[in-house]
Amino acid sequence: MAAQLPSSFSERMMDLLGTDYNQFADSYKETPNGGVRVNTLKISVEKLQALSTLELEPIPWCPTGFYTEDGARPGKHPHYHAGLYYIQEPSAMAPVELLDVQPGDRVLDLCAAPGGKSTQISAKLSGEGLLVTNDLHPERTKALAKNLELYGVRNGIVLNESPDHIAVAFPLYFDKILIDAPCSGEGMFRKDEDMVKQWDSGTPAKYAAMQRDILRSAATALAPGGTLVYSTCTFATEENEEIIAEFISEHPQFSVITVGGTGSFAPGFGELSGTARLWPHKVKGEGHFMAVLQHVGPKVSAEERDQAEVKLSAVTRNTNKKGTAHIKSANKPEARRGKEGKFSNKSAAGAERGRQGSGEEQALAAYGDFIKDQLGWEPKGYPIFFGDHLYISPLPKERLNGLKAIRPGWYVGHVRNGRFIPGHPMATALHPEESCRSVSLSSTSNEAISYLKGETLLISQERLSIKIGTTQKGYVLVCIDGYSAGWGKWQDGVLKNEYPAGWRWM
């Protein structure tokens, strides 16, 4: 790989690294490191270590991250399909660790697709607080939404919006913001040769202009006292230290918090030595830059922030000047969630009619009957309908008016002919004890693979776990080694498979 690096890139890196350059160049002859990160929404680190057949070596900067051995295929195991771990490049796990997310925080992941860092944030939230995760590109939000669904996220919202629109809709709102900024990708040259082909000497400057705008929008959305982490997977100082220096000079309410840690983080260059870098010749991972920025204003309560936000939003929403984001009118959803996890504009009128008449009340009644029979408890949150599809959202629907919501909350299912049909994401976010009926398949058996392929199974009544007072017939939460994977419908010893076609083991 080293001989294929662009000459202008190599020359710049020689100037940047000096005597370290040869070691840096030699690292491109090595095989990139693979990694997985434990999804603690579903399983603890200790339990996965005991359960998994993978050889796992701890990653120094991520307590839930592990290197995998060469040749390992963690994506070809039932545990992956049960959402027990996320396959992730090791260095990419560092920015969320620096963000220091706590349960109950309001967090924005501004450039989130395909969703690895969003699932990491969600695990740290432990089901409390709020995650708003966003990507500007519509096609990339499909993978983002699917990953949140696979990993059992209940308190997440997926948007397809520009950063400035989000800043207008959520001023002074978030405790933590992650900007894993689009960049020239130089740190991924060893892992992805296509990044090398797409690069030229003008690429860093092109991305730097985009990064400035994203940072400025994020500054508006961060609450006083909040934390912002900016990261890239590139080496160019004009996308890293220079961007942060310019931002700090324009925003005196922010300061750089020096990154400490495990000793894996090298300091940034120049006056911004408090920022951090991961170098491929110094750690087992690809190239990364990170800066932790603190809003120096005093922290205020969520209630005070909401009041300030209402005042600021009222002014902004009534101002429709050039260059100012305009929130779309209320009660006009962009679309609804379709079978493939995407939205279709053609059903917006149906959603509007459902809100105005008794259809929504009937649908909620059908949902209530289902959760009484299947769960025995009611998920917390705000019900939001798109057509006949129901989400349980961490925010009331009014807060999302005018925003392009790909996933306005936890997708729990849809109503058909007066009956509630549970969605696959509802199953993946449940624990066995939260369902009145469940069955566990062993990951070492053919049954688990057959289920993931969509096949019907023969399951005796004795194998079902059924809560007292619940009938045997009905929906069953199907688990693998005790961890939820999807739905089945059981009757007379036959488990009809409800695993969706688009998710099946190929």
Side-chain angles (χ1 to χ4, degrees):
M1 169 64 81
Q4 300 175 16
L5 292 174
S7 58
S8 57
F9 169 77
S10 297
E11 290 169 3
R12 172 161 59 78
M13 295 307 296
M14 287 181 191
D15 291 338
L16 199 62
L17 291 172
T19 56
D20 276 359
Y21 175 76
N22 288 337
Q23 187 182 0
F24 168 79
D26 287 343
S27 72
Y28 284 81
K29 303 173 185 176
E30 300 171 2
T31 302
N33 295 277
V36 297
R37 181 176 39 75
V38 181
N39 178 21
T40 54
L41 283 176
K42 302 190 81 166
I43 189 172
S44 69
V45 170
E46 294 75 20
K47 287 183 177 178
L48 182 73
Q49 286 177 302
L51 187 63
S52 179
T53 57
L54 295 170
E55 293 184 15
L56 300 175
E57 176 190 345
I59 294 173
W61 49 84
C62 180
T64 57
F66 295 88
Y67 296 107
T68 52
E69 68 273 25
D70 290 344
R73 302 178 71 191
K76 296 295 184 181
H77 195 282
H79 289 164
Y80 170 78
H81 294 270
L84 300 192
Y85 50 76
Y86 186 90
I87 301 170
Q88 191 171 24
E89 193 281 311
S91 293
M93 302 178 192
V96 173
E97 295 301 321
L98 297 182
L99 192 59
D100 190 30
V101 173
Q102 300 296 320
D105 280 345
R106 297 172 175 179
V107 186
L108 171 63
D109 187 356
L110 201 47
C111 312
K117 295 178 178 67
S118 288
T119 62
Q120 190 175 0
I121 291 168
S122 296
K124 290 182 176 296
L125 287 173
S126 300
E128 301 177 28
L130 166 70
L131 169 63
V132 175
T133 179
N134 175 75
D135 203 272
L136 184 61
H137 303 284
E139 286 299 310
R140 286 169 59 83
T141 59
K142 295 177 182 178
L144 176 57
K146 184 174 181 179
N147 276 323
L148 262 66
E149 293 172 350
L150 174 60
Y151 292 95
V153 178
R154 302 184 191 183
N155 58 333
I157 292 170
V158 179
L159 300 180
N160 171 216
E161 274 294 352
S162 62
D164 60 318
H165 281 194
I166 294 175
V168 169
F170 294 99
L172 309 176
Y173 187 83
F174 295 99
D175 302 293
K176 310 283 171 65
I177 297 180
L178 175 67
I179 302 175
D180 187 41
C183 67
S184 58
E186 296 170 356
M188 295 293 122
F189 281 0
R190 179 172 66 175
K191 189 173 184 288
D192 187 352
E193 293 190 30
D194 286 339
M195 301 296 293
V196 181
K197 298 174 183 177
Q198 296 169 13
W199 187 93
D200 61 46
S201 58
T203 303
K206 179 185 73 174
Y207 279 102
M210 191 184 311
Q211 292 154 0
R212 290 187 189 96
D213 290 340
I214 294 172
L215 262 170
R216 288 166 183 158
S217 295
T220 304
L222 189 69
T227 302
L228 187 155
V229 168
Y230 172 88
S231 68
T232 71
C233 56
T234 194
F235 301 118
T237 56
E238 55 263 54
E239 298 180 71
N240 296 329
E241 288 90 350
E242 292 175 32
I243 285 288
I244 299 302
E246 181 180 318
F247 176 79
I248 293 295
S249 68
E250 294 178 353
H251 299 81
Q253 71 272 34
F254 283 86
S255 62
V256 175
I257 303 301
T258 299
V259 175
T262 62
S264 301
F265 300 118
F269 290 104
E271 295 181 0
L272 287 171
S273 59
T275 59
R277 285 177 174 264
L278 289 170
W279 293 99
H281 61 290
K282 293 186 176 181
V283 300
K284 293 173 64 175
E286 306 310 301
H288 244 71
F289 170 85
M290 292 154 288
V292 181
L293 305 175
Q294 184 82 43
H295 192 297
V296 297
K299 288 188 177 182
V300 295
S301 69
E303 291 76 13
E304 291 174 311
R305 276 183 277 152
D306 287 342
Q307 292 172 4
E309 177 226 344
V310 167
K311 293 178 182 178
L312 183 56
S313 293
V315 172
T316 309
R317 292 176 193 221
N318 291 327
T319 304
N320 191 18
K321 298 178 180 179
K322 184 178 179 180
T324 300
H326 178 61
I327 297 295
K328 300 180 179 72
S329 59
N331 295 323
K332 291 185 179 179
E334 292 298 307
R336 72 167 173 87
R337 187 184 191 281
K339 291 182 179 179
E340 289 78 34
K342 56 188 178 182
F343 280 72
S344 167
N345 286 326
K346 62 185 179 182
S347 64
E352 184 69 15
R353 288 194 299 271
R355 288 190 177 88
Q356 295 172 352
S358 61
E360 183 174 303
E361 294 178 5
Q362 294 173 356
L364 284 173
Y367 167 68
D369 291 340
F370 173 83
I371 62 174
K372 181 179 179 181
D373 173 71
Q374 185 64 42
L375 305 185
W377 58 279
E378 183 175 358
K380 64 180 181 179
Y382 301 89
I384 294 181
F385 278 96
F386 281 102
D388 55 1
H389 291 259
L390 176 62
Y391 296 79
I392 302 300
S393 177
L395 291 177
K397 61 185 179 183
E398 292 79 14
R399 290 298 284 107
L400 299 175
N401 283 338
L403 293 172
K404 297 175 185 176
I406 302 300
R407 184 185 188 271
W410 180 20
Y411 178 63
V412 292
H414 69 281
V415 178
R416 183 196 306 158
N417 299 325
R419 296 179 63 85
F420 183 79
I421 312 299
H424 184 65
M426 185 185 205
T428 57
L430 293 174
H431 298 279
E433 64 273 15
E434 294 179 311
S435 177
C436 292
R437 303 179 195 87
S438 64
V439 64
S440 186
L441 312 176
S442 172
S443 63
T444 61
S445 70
N446 291 330
E447 280 186 331
I449 304 298
S450 295
Y451 174 75
L452 294 171
K453 288 182 176 181
E455 298 171 5
T456 298
L457 301 179
L458 298 178
I459 302 290
S460 66
Q461 178 181 321
E462 291 73 25
R463 294 181 59 188
L464 299 180
S465 176
I466 303 175
K467 290 184 179 179
I468 297 174
T470 303
T471 60
Q472 293 86 3
K473 178 183 174 181
Y475 281 96
V476 174
L477 183 67
V478 181
C479 303
I480 294 175
D481 291 340
Y483 300 94
S484 60
W487 292 116
K489 288 184 76 174
W490 188 90
Q491 183 177 1
D492 299 332
V494 177
L495 186 72
K496 179 184 176 182
N497 202 310
E498 297 288 324
Y499 200 76
W503 292 61
R504 290 176 185 169
W505 183 297
M506 301 299 292

